Amino acid sequence: MAALGGLIVGRTINPVAQGGLGGNLSKGSGWYLPPGVYTPRQVVEGCAPLLETVLHNLGQDPLNTVPARKMLLDNLASNLRVDTRESTLQISYSTSDAGRREIAQQAVRIGETIVQYAHEISLSKPKFDPQLRIRSPCEGHLLNAAVAGLMFGPRSQMNLMQLFNEYMHQIVLLRDALLPFQNYAEVLIPIAGGTGRQVGMRGMEEARSQFLAHLMTRSISQSAIVNLAKAALAPKLPRQDGYGFQYAHGLVLPAFLAGSSSPRLLYYCPAHLGSGSASSDILFDYEYQDYYSAPRAEIPEPVTTLAPDSWPSAALDVPTKILESSVAIEKPVEDQDSSRCLLKLRLEFDDDQCVSVDLGQISRGFRYAYRVPPYSNGSHSSSDGSRNDENNTDASTNSKIGFSQSSFVHSPMALLTRSATGLLSSSKQPGIHVIPSNSTVLALALLGRFYPENVVLLNGDQAPQEAECVGKSFQESPKFVIYNQE
């Protein structure tokens, strides 16, 4: 069985990245990437003959000059940054724009890794063809002044810019195809082969353009990231909808399941769900496509009420423990084609109870949940400004002061086993509702049961009253605080 962040996720597979198994220089065919399954490094290796042919034809470097290899790879590094004149992905963001900031940081990490691959591969003396000629449409990738002088100067030839342009473009497409994945270096990329506008990674061009348009004009969404990932690994799947998928070479699921704090990125796992071989790609879809119009269910009655400032540990104990947690396909999505399925998080407890929660709703709940800032330890004042760190915590006993108002404590098992259809909320009891948890997996399951409007995640090492300052504070609406004590 495959394990992902403590979850059992299907069965481990051993996909083989063959990198095409053949040469990528052929008389009469020019350069190409043969059909096959590639790691990101193998894609860079497959593109290396383009660069090597350029370097061979540029000839020996004159004395006391910067080597041409260094100049071209430095230009590539500049293409892959997000803050240079030559950047192919210039991203600006405000301090509050977490989505663009994360994509920018991801792009820099991937770019640095790819450039490292390129340097290492160049030391292995890749093959080249002095007579190689290709047509590479100009993609607007910029050269710095030194490289422009080299490529259009007396050392160069008319066809070399075509080769270097194709090299830059293939690498840029690779970088952008890897943007959705936290463990991008492990992703296996199927390449169908092709010529012209479909050669190598060029099949990603349309999806890349759509993603960049979204990135530059809107707040980055989970669906945009998933759509880009599908285009790279499972292009036959519906381009819209879903939050993850299975393809011939593994699973792609939200990265938070592997322990990531990112609400947006995805994680590649070499595993398959279900029995037998994966004969077709599967899209993991949401149980409720539109959570806003999903039915609502009233939250069960609280087990106790906490007085203002009260936070007794006994009232927050969770008597049951999870024995096993797993992820499994439950059934096809109703009224949809067979390529769409629901995925469930299944929990088995030590009191013989079993529950399952839609992983799509968990993913949505994780994205939309409010979080108490990690630096919060009781030193911040509450909404009325009257509380400070001197009366929030008793350092000698490490006891905690509760909310400034009465709050309701609920049994997590009562919420998970509630049989009513729909997402949990409350139209009868405004105020703060606390749901204790003794594990991260249990907290995730609880996220999947709530209507994701005003849910706050509070860790065991954080001051409870900090949750009062997070989220919405409508007088007639409830606030749900999932208190994870793990």
Side-chain angles (χ1 to χ4, degrees):
M1 304 297 282
L4 180 62
L7 297 174
I8 296 175
V9 184
R11 54 188 173 84
T12 302
I13 62 173
N14 297 297
V16 178
Q18 300 169 329
L21 284 181
N24 48 17
L25 289 173
S26 175
K27 290 184 179 180
S29 299
W31 172 86
Y32 65 102
L33 287 181
V37 182
Y38 291 73
T39 65
R41 183 185 180 99
Q42 287 173 336
V43 174
V44 180
E45 288 176 343
C47 296
L50 295 168
L51 177 64
E52 290 303 311
T53 299
V54 172
L55 292 168
H56 173 81
N57 284 291
L58 286 173
Q60 186 173 0
D61 295 312
L63 293 176
N64 302 319
T65 62
V66 177
R69 184 182 303 276
K70 182 179 187 309
M71 292 173 65
L72 296 183
L73 289 178
D74 283 353
N75 197 103
L76 177 67
S78 188
N79 293 143
L80 297 180
R81 291 193 59 82
V82 298
D83 57 355
T84 64
R85 170 186 170 273
E86 295 79 29
S87 171
T88 55
L89 184 60
Q90 293 184 341
I91 307 177
S92 60
Y93 51 86
S94 64
T95 55
S96 62
D97 193 344
R100 283 198 183 92
R101 179 174 66 249
E102 182 171 39
I103 295 299
Q105 293 170 345
Q106 176 81 339
V108 170
R109 284 192 296 269
I110 298 171
E112 290 174 348
T113 300
I114 289 176
V115 171
Q116 180 181 345
Y117 290 162
H119 278 285
E120 294 170 354
I121 292 166
S122 71
L123 298 177
S124 65
K125 298 182 179 180
K127 56 187 174 182
F128 59 89
D129 178 3
Q131 304 303 317
L132 180 61
R133 300 288 189 277
I134 65 170
R135 170 71 176 105
S136 178
C138 178
E139 306 295 344
H141 304 323
L142 298 179
L143 306 178
N144 62 40
V147 171
L150 175 68
M151 295 302 296
F152 296 105
R155 292 178 60 184
S156 189
Q157 302 169 12
M158 290 185 63
N159 64 302
L160 297 190
M161 190 60 235
Q162 297 278 324
L163 299 176
F164 188 55
N165 180 75
E166 189 64 26
Y167 180 74
M168 287 190 294
H169 191 53
Q170 292 287 333
I171 297 300
V172 167
L173 288 170
L174 172 63
R175 187 271 314 273
D176 292 347
L178 297 175
L179 287 175
F181 306 100
Q182 178 156 314
N183 58 336
Y184 55 85
E186 302 171 28
V187 173
L188 297 186
I189 307 170
I191 293 181
T195 59
R197 300 297 301 201
Q198 294 298 313
V199 68
M201 296 293 299
R202 279 187 175 267
M204 282 294 299
E205 287 179 332
E206 180 181 355
R208 173 182 183 260
S209 296
Q210 292 174 351
F211 179 78
L212 295 187
H214 185 108
L215 179 66
M216 298 305 175
T217 60
R218 302 174 58 185
S219 296
I220 189 66
S221 68
Q222 174 76 358
S223 62
I225 291 175
V226 173
N227 289 342
L228 183 63
K230 286 186 289 187
L233 306 186
K236 293 183 180 180
L237 283 175
R239 191 60 63 89
Q240 302 300 321
D241 304 327
Y243 60 90
F245 56 91
Q246 176 172 289
Y247 72 122
H249 312 292
L251 285 173
V252 175
L253 293 170
F256 70 82
L257 292 173
S260 171
S261 60
S262 172
R264 302 170 190 84
L265 296 182
L266 304 173
Y267 194 91
Y268 165 79
C269 182
H272 275 162
L273 294 165
S275 59
S277 60
S279 58
S280 60
D281 299 336
I282 301 174
L283 180 67
F284 303 136
D285 216 343
Y286 295 94
E287 184 174 18
Y288 300 112
Q289 284 289 345
D290 179 14
Y291 71 91
Y292 189 82
S293 59
R296 313 279 177 88
E298 189 70 24
I299 191 171
E301 291 296 317
V303 294
T304 188
T305 300
L306 301 183
D309 296 339
S310 175
W311 196 254
S313 58
L316 301 166
D317 285 342
V318 180
T320 55
K321 293 183 179 179
I322 297 174
L323 294 180
E324 185 175 286
S325 57
S326 61
V327 173
I329 293 174
E330 182 166 279
K331 63 176 181 179
V333 177
E334 295 181 2
D335 302 323
Q336 295 286 356
D337 61 79
S338 59
S339 67
R340 297 172 183 256
C341 284
L342 297 181
L343 206 56
K344 296 287 181 146
L345 172 63
R346 293 177 177 172
L347 304 180
E348 297 181 18
F349 293 88
D350 58 2
D351 61 358
D352 295 331
Q353 294 193 84
C354 298
V355 299
S356 64
V357 184
D358 178 51
L359 195 62
Q361 193 57 35
I362 293 174
S363 174
R364 187 179 272 151
F366 188 84
R367 293 197 307 272
Y368 294 167
Y370 294 97
R371 289 158 176 81
V372 176
Y375 53 77
S376 294
N377 57 9
S379 61
H380 290 186
S381 63
S382 64
S383 57
D384 63 2
S386 63
R387 301 154 69 84
N388 55 51
D389 56 348
E390 293 182 359
N391 63 2
N392 282 344
T393 309
D394 182 344
S396 63
T397 63
N398 199 33
S399 61
K400 294 181 178 179
I401 305 300
F403 300 110
S404 62
Q405 57 181 291
S406 297
S407 54
F408 308 102
V409 178
H410 295 265
S411 163
M413 294 306 301
L415 271 62
L416 291 176
T417 58
R418 182 147 174 84
S419 59
T421 300
L423 302 175
L424 293 176
S425 186
S426 179
S427 59
K428 299 178 181 178
Q429 290 183 316
I432 298 175
H433 298 256
V434 181
I435 306 93
S437 169
N438 57 10
S439 74
T440 299
V441 173
L442 179 57
L444 290 177
L446 290 167
L447 279 173
R449 291 292 283 126
F450 278 102
Y451 178 76
E453 181 179 31
N454 200 17
V455 180
V456 178
L457 294 176
L458 178 68
N459 293 330
D461 60 351
Q462 294 174 318
Q465 67 275 13
E466 293 297 333
E468 290 189 83
C469 308
V470 178
K472 301 173 183 176
S473 300
F474 301 136
Q475 289 185 354
E476 299 303 320
S477 297
K479 175 182 290 186
F480 300 104
V481 177
I482 297 176
Y483 178 52
N484 184 15
Q485 301 169 72
E486 185 176 47

